[in-house]
Amino acid sequence: MVSVRDVEEAGRRIAGRVRHTPVATVEAAAFGTPVPVTLKLELFQHTGSFKVRGAFNRMLAAAARAEVPRVVAASGGNHGLAVAYAARALGMPAEVFVPETIAPVKVTKLRTFGAAVTVTGRYYADAYEASARRAAETGALVVHAYDHPEVVAGQGTVGQELADQAPDLDTVLVAVGGGGLLAGIVTALDGRARVVAVEPDRVPTLHRALAAGGPVEVEVGGLTADSLGARRIGELAYRVAAGARVRSLLVTEDAVVAARQRLWDELHVAAEHGGAAALAALTSGAYRPAAGERVGVVVCGSNTDPADLIRR
Ligand SMILES: Cc1ncc(COP(=O)(O)O)c(C=O)c1O
């Protein structure tokens, strides 16, 4: 499992390599929410998502233990960008396997970081199998996208930072794919605020797992599949979420689209669909805060083509 200490250690290990991202508290009227909302603008992170935190932590921790000749990762896009970015910074060759459903903006950006990119299969799970075969052939370090304690601890630094920036939050809404971000934030906050998981109804990995009593495979599809499209929740994330009695709320695709548009209209913040999913819980009413509840939302990704946001 992962502890608060692991998150603190990760924070020290990756300090100076990742950005301390800002928070903005937005009045209730702006988003039409019952209460003001504190946004953790993690989409301003290097490569456009929190994923560099886990990638750096995993790669630096492994390099401190032994020589790391090369790294390999599978990703819907953002994790691959993060691994490629971290590998370039640390001077490690990287190979990244991505599925055909990857957003074109992500492949273009990925190639600029100098990683070897292989596009294979339809979904993340297909890319993962290809990456595992490659790692077995080459002996490369596998940097898992979510189900590894060092990755989870790295993602937890988002929660650690948020707790310092907004110590009075009652609730934090977090989007879930494989659950690394959620597990990290739950661990980092350690009961200081309630964490609520948010998933698109097209990819309910945690929701189904909590109902079934363990991780199960779900069908993957829809607009958020390239960021939240893990076919099953990570074992670690499941254990952390079940242990902390985290609730998983489902939001529709329309709600995600509307929340993403709202972020643009009010703040000129261009989030990708997965990055707007947590806010969608609040703006759609899937999450109903109590009067006076202090709510935080992690806006976790920006790798999107913003053309459809601009109203002409
Ligand atoms: C923008 C964005 N948000 C959320 C997630 C979900 O993260 P996790 O797989 O750790 O649940 C991802 C995963 O790629 C992502 O790219």
Side-chain angles (χ1 to χ4, degrees):
M1 286 296 266
V2 186
S3 68
V4 187
R5 287 233 182 104
D6 296 324
V7 178
E8 289 166 354
E9 200 180 323
R12 287 189 290 274
R13 190 177 287 128
I14 67 178
R17 300 204 179 263
V18 302
R19 291 185 184 134
H20 201 87
T21 53
V23 298
T25 298
V26 179
E27 70 285 2
F31 291 144
T33 51
V35 292
V37 53
T38 297
L39 304 174
K40 172 68 169 160
L41 294 167
E42 184 63 16
L43 81 172
F44 297 150
Q45 189 51 263
H46 291 297
T47 76
S49 85
F50 63 94
K51 291 277 183 177
V52 283
R53 296 173 182 266
F56 266 121
N57 193 45
R58 169 82 175 120
M59 288 157 68
L60 285 167
R65 287 190 294 266
E67 197 197 335
V68 176
R70 56 200 309 124
V71 295
V72 67
S75 166
N78 282 336
H79 175 64
L81 285 168
V83 170
Y85 176 89
R88 191 180 64 177
L90 301 176
M92 297 173 184
E95 275 185 279
V96 178
F97 291 78
V98 295
E100 291 149 15
T101 44
I102 185 172
V105 290
K106 291 180 182 166
V107 197
T108 310
K109 205 165 162 182
L110 196 45
R111 298 204 197 274
T112 67
F113 291 129
V117 181
T118 305
V119 182
T120 179
R122 190 148 171 70
Y123 294 115
Y124 165 77
D126 307 313
Y128 179 75
E129 278 164 30
S131 75
R133 282 195 298 275
R134 188 78 183 131
E137 280 161 26
T138 61
L141 175 79
V142 177
V143 186
H144 199 283
Y146 47 86
D147 208 10
H148 189 282
E150 286 160 356
V151 172
V152 168
Q155 320 305 30
T157 62
V158 175
Q160 187 187 39
E161 251 176 53
L162 180 57
D164 290 342
Q165 293 164 308
D168 296 333
L169 292 177
D170 298 304
T171 307
V172 180
L173 304 180
V174 181
V176 175
L181 180 64
L182 176 85
I185 291 179
V186 170
T187 305
L189 294 179
D190 195 25
R192 283 181 285 174
R194 179 183 333 114
V195 180
V196 176
V198 181
E199 300 182 275
D201 57 8
R202 300 281 309 270
V203 208
T205 44
L206 178 61
H207 203 86
R208 290 271 177 78
L210 291 172
V216 287
E217 299 236 326
V218 303
E219 279 285 308
V220 171
L223 284 170
T224 61
D226 73 324
S227 58
L228 308 183
R231 209 178 276 168
R232 85 197 257 136
I233 193 78
E235 294 287 338
L236 260 175
Y238 174 75
R239 272 187 267 143
V240 171
R245 298 185 181 282
V246 169
R247 264 197 305 155
S248 159
L249 299 178
L250 299 182
V251 290
T252 63
E253 299 248 300
D254 286 352
V256 172
V257 169
R260 176 172 171 267
Q261 186 67 51
R262 211 87 198 226
L263 276 167
W264 176 257
D265 291 344
E266 287 298 330
L267 304 175
H268 271 208
V269 161
E272 60 186 277
H273 289 97
L279 181 62
L282 202 58
T283 49
S284 69
Y287 183 72
R288 291 183 192 283
E293 187 174 329
R294 287 157 301 194
V295 180
V297 168
V298 182
V299 183
C300 44
S302 68
N303 287 310
T304 191
D305 180 345
D308 61 339
L309 290 168
I310 299 161
R311 298 182 197 270
R312 292 175 211 281

